[in-house]
Amino acid sequence: MKSPFRGWGMKQDEDFAANLAGEDGEAEETKRSWFRRIKKNITTSTKDKKEAPDGLWTKCPTCKLTCTVSELRENLFVCPKCEHHHRIGSAEYFDILFDEDKYTKLFGNIRSKDYLNFVDLKPYQQRLDETYAKSTIHDSITVAHGKVNKHDIVVACMDFEFIGGSLGSVMGEKIARACDYCIEHRVPFMIINKSGGARMMESAFSLMQLAKTSGKLSQLSDAKIPYFSLCTDPTFGGTTASFAMLGDIIMGEPGALIGFAGPRVIKETIKKDLPPGFQRSEFLLEHGFLDFIVNRRTLKEKLTQLLVLFKN
Ligand SMILES: [Zn+2]
């Protein structure tokens, strides 16, 4: 389409060129040629291009505020402008919670197995090997024992980057062992949920973990050991259907999406529009699924309060 400003732009360009040359009497051709490209296209070869360092800057998906990663880290990965809670992994949560960043990781030697020779876009074993190669975590959940303001606690935290934080047999086994460990040492237990649901590649073995973890948590309850569940963005599928909703206290991070099936599936099933804020923490709090919403910046303080309350 022809722009209405096209003529105006051309005029401006010409005046600009004339002013730069310090004269106004030159032929049209000379005026223009002075900033004409001699060589066409970009000629720098790929190997000579200078890479900009990755991950120095980050943009908030809610308010589009751009800030440095170190600035965001200082703010515990909460947007300084709109309080959006960025997704973080187990290492970050352990740093936020444990005193002086000191903690002992437990059951790090358990690995996933491809029992079913499952192939989707690629074989499951290949997917696992690739994930191990690009990350230092061993599976979608990491368990650690440490102190929160001098109170002992075992925290199991999920990593979304490891196959979507999916609930497979390793996650089930780690939670089961963590429960045994907590009963043996009389230490409270906490799970930080961040998962898309059961791990498809382990099929029924993943689904068995729902019963297994629920059974173990009831043993924890019989032993009168408190269990806290923190639901972060996103908490879905098998996790919501089992341990995430079994806590003595169930907390949510602000704005976290928490549910069983996703909003699109529900909308297609009930053939009705969903209410605003559906499946967000605030909506769930109003409907009684959560005990309270906790801002990440006050998480350690809140958890300490809970530990003191349950100790007495
Ligand atoms: Zn923001």
Side-chain angles (χ1 to χ4, degrees):
M1 204 180 86
K2 197 177 171 185
S3 160
F5 299 107
R6 198 187 156 107
W8 184 83
M10 290 280 284
K11 179 81 170 59
Q12 290 284 305
D13 286 349
E14 278 161 24
D15 287 348
F16 182 56
N19 283 337
L20 276 178
E23 52 199 297
D24 51 10
E26 283 190 29
E28 185 88 1
E29 186 54 36
T30 340
K31 271 194 245 167
R32 285 229 191 105
S33 61
W34 141 156
F35 53 69
R36 183 174 291 163
R37 250 179 204 276
I38 301 169
K39 287 180 187 168
K40 274 197 172 176
N41 303 329
I42 296 163
T43 51
T44 317
S45 66
T46 311
K47 71 174 173 60
D48 294 332
K49 277 184 192 164
K50 294 211 166 54
E51 287 288 331
D54 265 346
L56 273 181
W57 293 87
T58 173
K59 195 175 187 181
C60 171
T62 310
C63 73
K64 312 282 180 234
L65 176 84
T66 311
C67 66
T68 60
V69 173
S70 52
E71 203 180 324
L72 199 64
R73 185 181 294 274
E74 269 170 39
N75 212 23
L76 307 184
F77 296 92
V78 176
C79 173
K81 194 176 163 197
C82 74
E83 297 281 303
H84 173 85
H85 281 50
H86 288 256
R87 278 184 194 168
I88 52 173
S90 56
E92 286 80 13
Y93 275 109
F94 292 158
D95 282 354
I96 290 169
L97 288 175
F98 291 128
D99 299 346
E100 297 148 17
D101 297 349
K102 268 192 240 160
Y103 53 89
T104 318
K105 282 190 187 171
L106 304 170
F107 327 120
N109 56 347
I110 314 172
R111 292 286 187 282
S112 295
K113 258 192 160 176
D114 186 9
Y115 316 97
L116 307 168
N117 294 319
F118 193 93
V119 181
D120 50 291
L121 292 174
K122 49 184 139 177
Y124 179 38
Q125 192 57 51
Q126 188 192 335
R127 193 182 287 279
L128 284 171
D129 292 340
E130 284 173 11
T131 318
Y132 292 140
K134 67 183 177 192
S135 112
T136 52
I137 45 175
H138 307 302
D139 208 279
S140 46
I141 197 165
T142 306
V143 185
H145 181 185
K147 285 180 192 292
V148 174
N149 286 325
K150 303 195 180 79
H151 300 281
D152 270 278
I153 188 167
V154 171
V155 180
C157 181
M158 290 169 205
D159 280 282
F160 198 75
E161 62 176 292
F162 198 103
I163 321 186
S166 49
L167 165 60
S169 42
V170 170
M171 189 187 282
E173 181 62 20
K174 281 193 183 183
I175 290 173
R177 288 197 199 182
C179 290
D180 288 339
Y181 181 93
C182 289
I183 294 169
E184 194 191 329
H185 296 87
R186 307 288 306 168
V187 180
F189 184 41
M190 179 185 193
I191 298 181
I192 300 176
N193 298 288
K194 188 181 291 287
S195 170
R199 188 173 293 175
M200 176 184 72
M201 302 83 166
E202 290 183 21
S203 189
F205 290 97
S206 292
L207 295 181
M208 286 175 199
Q209 309 310 316
L210 277 72
K212 178 172 166 174
T213 52
S214 304
K216 272 290 169 192
L217 286 170
S218 60
Q219 287 182 1
L220 198 71
S221 171
D222 291 343
K224 306 223 180 314
I225 308 275
Y227 160 54
F228 311 116
S229 166
L230 173 65
C231 301
T232 71
D233 186 56
T235 298
F236 267 88
T239 48
T240 316
S242 59
F243 48 82
M245 290 292 147
L246 290 175
D248 296 311
I249 298 287
I250 306 170
M251 302 167 268
E253 275 194 346
L257 208 55
I258 304 161
F260 180 68
R264 189 177 49 82
V265 176
I266 298 175
K267 198 177 164 179
E268 279 170 13
T269 311
I270 65 170
K271 309 234 182 306
K272 268 185 194 167
D273 280 336
L274 300 169
F278 183 67
Q279 289 186 329
R280 295 275 171 200
S281 286
E282 295 72 15
F283 187 91
L284 294 180
L285 178 71
E286 211 182 305
H287 291 81
F289 276 85
L290 297 179
D291 291 300
F292 55 84
I293 293 173
V294 59
N295 189 301
R296 201 178 284 158
R297 282 183 290 204
T298 57
L299 177 62
K300 186 166 178 171
E301 198 184 307
K302 280 269 185 188
L303 186 61
T304 311
Q305 279 177 8
L306 289 176
L307 290 169
V308 172
L309 281 172
F310 276 81
K311 203 172 243 179
N312 295 324

